[in-house]
Amino acid sequence: MEVFLGIAGASGAPYALGLARQLVAGGHTVGVSFTESGATVCGHELYGDLAMPRDEVIDRFIADAGLDPANVWAPKDYASPYASGSARWDAAVVVPCSMSTLATIAQGAEQNLVQRAANVALKEGRRLVIVPRETPLSLIQLENLTRLKRAGAEILPAMPAFYQLPSTLDDMVDFVVGKACNLLGIEQSSLAEWRGQRSALTDTR
Ligand SMILES: Cc1cc2nc3c(=O)[nH]c(=O)nc-3n(C[C@H](O)[C@H](O)[C@H](O)COP(=O)(O)O)c2cc1C
């Protein structure tokens, strides 16, 4: 599969890195673009340096994920194949997705390659997974999420669960990464299926 990974400036950079690694491990072609703020937040959350230069953040991310440097695109590079519906890539995912990027995509507007690729996915009827991160949510933000869902996107809030009994932060990241892979239709090893067991909630049959 060929997947475009858009990284916007919401909290949740470890989800982006985890998903990139999982896609690379699965042998998928991964095109990547960071928004301006996306690289800044990655510098802070992954490398502990909010002021890390953009190029350095991106180089480290490429190395950490095992990405192809030739398939990492500048925010305004609309000559990228991910800006075009005629290029037959399969799906786009925006992780993490800021409220700003969410709002712009929901209006059908495009101010960078992440937003363009998301809108291309929608217009071409391809899978688009949005992983928003904000809390609490305003009515405007909720409406933007609803609007995108109606337009065909899958909304996967960056909302790890506890029922898998996570013991590390990586476990919690893996939960969201596994869910994103499931929505993309990609085999994953991050999240075990819950196959059910009897609980004390059911004392009768
Ligand atoms: C450390 C940090 C964390 C942030 N976390 C969030 C967040 O969780 N959600 C959000 O919508 N914006 C968050 N922001 C603000 C966005 O980065 C800001 O709105 C930016 O304009 C988004 O631009 P983009 O959508 O082009 O990436 C954060 C900013 C910083 C510096």
Side-chain angles (χ1 to χ4, degrees), residues 8-11 35 37-38 40-41 44-45 50 97-101 112 115 133-134:
S11 183
T35 67
S37 194
T40 302
V41 178
H44 176 59
E45 294 188 340
L50 192 62
C97 185
S98 67
M99 294 301 100
S100 171
T101 289
N112 57 37
Q115 296 161 7
R133 215 302 315 176
E134 187 53 276

Side-chain angles (χ1 to χ4, degrees), residues 163 194-205:
Y163 68 85
W194 176 265
R195 297 299 302 174
Q197 51 182 270
R198 297 209 186 279
S199 73
L201 294 174
T202 50
D203 53 4
T204 56
R205 269 182 267 178

Side-chain angles (χ1 to χ4, degrees), residues 95-152:
V95 56
C97 185
S98 67
M99 294 301 100
S100 171
T101 289
L102 167 75
T104 311
I105 299 168
Q107 294 310 310
E110 303 163 350
Q111 293 178 345
N112 57 37
L113 181 58
V114 172
Q115 296 161 7
R116 170 68 187 163
N119 278 320
V120 168
L122 288 179
K123 85 183 175 72
E124 298 292 333
R126 298 180 197 162
R127 229 165 273 192
L128 171 62
V129 178
I130 299 285
V131 185
R133 215 302 315 176
E134 187 53 276
T135 196
L137 290 162
S138 71
L139 181 60
I140 292 170
Q141 292 160 343
L142 289 165
E143 285 177 351
N144 285 336
L145 290 166
T146 306
R147 191 174 162 92
L148 272 189
K149 176 72 181 178
R150 283 209 186 95

